[in-house]
Amino acid sequence: MCRVVDLRQAVLAKNDASALQLREHLAARGTAEVNLLSSPGSGKTALLELLLARFVAAGTSVAAVTADLATENDARRLARAGAPVKQVLTDGLCHLEAGMLRGHLDGWLPEDTRVLFVENVGNLVCPASYDIGESLRIVLGSVTEGEDKPLKYPTAFGLAHLVVITKTDIAEAVEFDSEAFHRNVQQVNPGVPVLETSARTGSGVDELLAFILGCADGVPVHQPVLAGQHERYLHHHHDDEEGHDGHEHPASAVRGAADAP
């Protein structure tokens, strides 16, 4: 008798186990991991550079890992903030996995790190299905990407603890409909907080810093939509998720993340 094995579930289950171990390891040392997800060109690196500089200026021990398919451009840019930064090249892989990240942290991450930022690969499909041991998952969308982004990528936005709108200084110029974006976010992830920011003007950055520090201090954050609920939504919007790779059922993505320090 032939036995059918769902390889996707096996891969995700292995990753979940590694993520749990990493989350427990970081929690024991007092480090909060912040997973940043977005499409390419969202302004994620510019905002992260500003956040790192603010944390360094405030005397908060912070570090960052940035992942790309190729080049070390982002790491060189982020290092200007004065925080420890490490580049991870995925060699074509469209996402980070927990075991991969743990391997890069061992022997590198300073012991006193309070906040570890992980700038995931620029992609809202693959990375959304993988728990990488984060305490906080932030999904970013720029005003140039359109108001329907949350509906096109319900897995990414639906499993976020926080949604951040970037480049708001040019919102009027691109005729961005903020109210529509907020409605669409709430449709896929009811109750999730949404912050509007601009790396150019600094607008909203203090509020974002406070939210991240609250997570690092163990303040409970918004619980993302559970996988079972998400599956029902995805069933109706499957065709809208561009570049869909088959991981529409992240069975335990960021499971327990809201309870981590």
Side-chain angles (χ1 to χ4, degrees):
M1 178 182 293
C2 295
R3 182 183 179 187
V4 178
V5 178
D6 190 334
L7 295 179
R8 291 174 298 164
Q9 291 301 322
V11 169
L12 290 175
K14 180 179 179 180
N15 180 78
D16 287 344
S18 297
L20 178 60
Q21 292 176 356
L22 178 56
R23 183 176 292 110
E24 292 175 342
H25 170 73
L26 292 175
R29 55 185 288 167
T31 301
E33 179 193 323
V34 181
N35 184 8
L36 301 176
L37 299 177
S38 78
S39 299
S42 68
K44 180 167 75 264
T45 304
L47 185 59
L48 178 54
E49 183 181 2
L50 182 55
L51 288 171
L52 291 174
R54 293 281 186 93
F55 274 120
V56 169
T60 302
S61 181
V62 64
V65 170
T66 181
D68 279 304
L69 276 67
T71 82
E72 297 185 357
N73 295 341
D74 286 350
R76 286 193 290 268
R77 178 178 177 180
L78 293 174
R80 299 183 305 194
V85 177
K86 185 166 190 177
Q87 180 77 55
V88 174
L89 298 180
T90 64
D91 294 324
L93 192 65
C94 64
H95 61 275
L96 280 175
E97 296 179 6
M100 180 194 312
L101 178 60
R102 177 70 181 269
H104 285 280
L105 296 180
D106 288 343
W108 171 78
L109 186 66
E111 286 295 330
D112 63 344
T113 301
R114 185 179 178 195
V115 179
L116 168 66
F117 287 99
V118 179
E119 183 180 19
N120 220 312
V121 180
N123 184 337
L124 282 177
V125 182
C126 305
S129 296
Y130 285 83
D131 179 0
I132 57 171
E134 65 261 38
S135 304
L136 179 63
R137 176 176 289 202
I138 299 177
V139 176
L140 301 89
S142 75
V143 299
T144 59
E145 296 177 79
E147 300 81 9
D148 61 347
K149 204 74 170 182
L151 303 181
K152 288 185 174 182
Y153 298 92
T155 302
F157 284 90
L159 291 171
H161 296 104
L162 174 68
V163 173
V164 173
I165 303 174
T166 61
K167 304 183 182 181
T168 57
D169 53 298
I170 60 171
E172 185 176 353
V174 298
E175 299 183 344
F176 177 70
D177 188 338
S178 177
E179 291 185 2
F181 185 92
H182 280 260
R183 284 197 305 270
N184 292 336
V185 169
Q186 296 305 316
Q187 183 173 336
V188 300
N189 194 346
V192 67
V194 180
L195 290 178
E196 301 192 5
T197 67
S198 168
R200 178 177 295 177
T201 67
S203 175
V205 175
D206 287 341
E207 290 82 356
L208 180 54
L209 284 167
F211 192 99
I212 293 169
L213 284 174
C215 174
D217 290 336
V219 177
V221 297
H222 170 78
Q223 178 64 45
V225 173
L226 299 177
Q229 295 172 288
H230 222 305
E231 289 172 6
R232 289 194 292 273
Y233 184 85
L234 283 162
H235 176 72
H236 296 292
H237 295 268
H238 176 88
D239 293 335
D240 291 333
E241 191 152 353
E242 300 169 1
H244 186 73
D245 68 348
H247 294 309
E248 70 270 30
H249 304 308
S252 56
V254 294
R255 181 181 296 151
D259 299 324

